[in-house]
Amino acid sequence: MKKRVQFMMLLCFVLGNLSFVLSSILRHSLTDFMLGFFEGLHIVFMCTWFIYMCWCFVKKKNPFSIK
């Protein structure tokens, strides 16, 4: 798999976790729309990451390394 795709998948993983942490920390100061937006980003990024991890598992590759 190309390095660019692997890097983008790792970026999805980091952004998904970051959006979840920020929405959890700032839960009481965000509006309902912003809270839902950040939680939606988390779900999209984590679903993308999960699909990539399943693909790596089938191909027997390490999803955390960029080669």
Side-chain angles (χ1 to χ4, degrees), residues 2-60:
K2 295 184 179 184
K3 288 182 183 181
R4 183 176 294 174
V5 174
Q6 291 174 330
F7 180 74
M8 292 301 290
M9 290 298 120
L10 284 174
L11 189 62
C12 280
F13 178 67
V14 170
L15 289 176
N17 286 329
L18 185 64
S19 68
F20 179 69
V21 168
L22 285 177
S23 67
S24 296
I25 291 172
L26 302 172
R27 178 171 300 275
H28 299 292
S29 63
L30 292 174
T31 63
D32 288 338
F33 174 77
M34 289 302 292
L35 183 62
F37 180 76
F38 282 122
E39 288 178 353
L41 278 178
H42 167 70
I43 290 170
V44 168
F45 285 139
M46 288 297 110
C47 286
T48 305
W49 176 252
F50 179 73
I51 292 168
Y52 174 69
M53 285 207 40
C54 290
W55 184 86
C56 287
F57 181 72
V58 168
K59 297 290 184 177
K60 295 182 169 94

